[in-house]
């Protein structure tokens, strides 16, 4: 049986970044040491969870989906509240994109850490990035460092939170996916805020994804295969 330090749990949303992280973890720890977790938080598009399941199945790693009802009950953001359109952009009171779900990454990582604790897994891998992003404050390395410390103290564990994409541009993330052999898996991923496959091509998430692929000179298999 593998030591906890040799095992990794990847937070898999079914998107491009977390899928790249899955292949990063497989490369680093070995396929039989990696498992994945997703969260059903009442997101507008259940397609995300289907994509996460498909990506994990293709990679032949275990996948667990945990339910969290509370974020949708809180409401007020465009990803869980059907009355708020993603197109409207910025939330006027906070100045943050209206797709910001307050506390989401903190909660996901804390639940993931609890699952990892129970299963003797010492490494969490998340696809958060502070470059090229919408300025979500819970995607900053400083936030992740503080949360890692809080979890280490609060669970008396030596859990490490890995953020392999933190300082990469979208272009560099696409290049990394190519290096890791993750491009085939990209056909199964989902990025569009409007929940469309093939992607709508117009929402902020689609635009950012397309820009990354174009700059890397790689054809997006999601666009060419769907
Ligand atoms: Zn879109």
């Amino acid at each position: 049986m593998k030591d906890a330090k040799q095992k990794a749990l990847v937070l898999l949303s079914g998107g491009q970044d977390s899928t790249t992280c899955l292949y990063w973890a497989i490369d680093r720890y070995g396929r039989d040491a990696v498992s994945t977790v997703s969260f059903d938080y009442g997101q507008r598009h259940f397609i995300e969870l289907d994509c996460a399941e498909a990506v994990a199945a293709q990679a032949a790693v275990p996948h667990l989906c945990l339910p969290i009802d509370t974020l949708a009950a809180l409401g007020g953001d465009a990803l869980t509240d059907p009355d708020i359109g993603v197109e409207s952009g910025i939330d006027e009171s906070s100045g943050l994109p209206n797709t910001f779900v307050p506390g989401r990454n903190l909660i996901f990582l804390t639940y993931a850490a609890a699952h990892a604790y129970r299963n003797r897994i010492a490494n969490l891998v998340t696809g958060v990035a502070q470059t090229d992003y919408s300025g979500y404050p819970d995607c900053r390395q400083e936030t992740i460092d503080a949360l890692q410390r809080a979890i280490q103290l609060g669970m008396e564990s030596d859990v490490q939170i890995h953020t392999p994409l933190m300082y990469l541009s979208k272009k560099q993330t696409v290049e990394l996916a190519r290096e890791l052999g993750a491009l085939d898996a990209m056909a199964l991923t989902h990025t569009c805020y409007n929940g469309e496959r093939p992607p709508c091509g117009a929402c902020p998430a689609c635009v950012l994804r397309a820009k990354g692929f174009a700059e890397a000179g790689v054809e997006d298999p999601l666009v060419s295969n769907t």
Side-chain angles (χ1 to χ4, degrees), residues 86 190-196 198-207:
V86 292
H190 164 73
T191 300
C192 180
Y193 282 155
N194 290 312
E196 294 179 23
C200 80
C203 74
C206 279
V207 170

Side-chain angles (χ1 to χ4, degrees), residues 13-174:
S13 70
Q16 174 190 355
D17 291 343
S18 65
T19 298
T20 303
C21 285
L22 170 58
Y23 281 80
W24 180 89
I26 290 171
D27 183 61
R28 183 175 172 130
Y29 298 98
R31 194 174 304 270
D32 61 351
V34 172
S35 56
T36 60
V37 64
S38 306
F39 297 96
D40 177 355
Y41 64 96
Q43 53 271 66
R44 233 183 227 244
H45 306 303
F46 288 104
I47 192 173
E48 276 184 40
L49 297 173
D50 293 340
C51 291
E53 198 177 333
V55 167
Q58 189 192 52
V61 295
H63 175 241
L64 173 72
C65 182
L66 295 174
I68 306 174
D69 295 342
T70 313
L71 291 171
L74 289 168
D77 63 83
L79 292 190
T80 60
D81 191 335
D83 295 332
I84 301 176
V86 292
E87 305 75 20
S88 55
I90 303 296
D91 178 280
E92 283 176 16
S93 60
S94 65
L96 290 168
N98 68 5
T99 48
F100 176 61
V101 183
R104 179 173 56 170
N105 279 327
L106 307 178
I107 292 164
F108 285 2
L109 282 161
T110 304
Y111 276 125
H115 174 69
Y117 182 95
R118 287 272 178 238
N119 291 278
R120 298 187 41 76
I121 300 169
N123 300 285
L124 302 180
V125 185
T126 172
V128 296
Q130 63 183 47
T131 324
D132 248 14
Y133 254 73
S134 324
Y136 292 170
D138 56 349
C139 290
R140 287 181 295 206
Q141 188 61 47
E142 192 181 359
T143 304
I144 301 296
D145 289 342
L147 183 63
Q148 173 178 284
R149 182 72 183 132
I151 292 170
Q152 286 173 344
L153 288 170
M155 297 189 194
E156 284 203 345
S157 84
D158 51 6
V159 71
Q160 299 287 319
I161 303 178
H162 301 272
T163 56
L165 311 185
M166 181 58 78
Y167 302 107
L168 301 187
S169 66
K170 278 287 175 190
K171 169 180 183 268
Q172 290 171 313
T173 301
V174 172

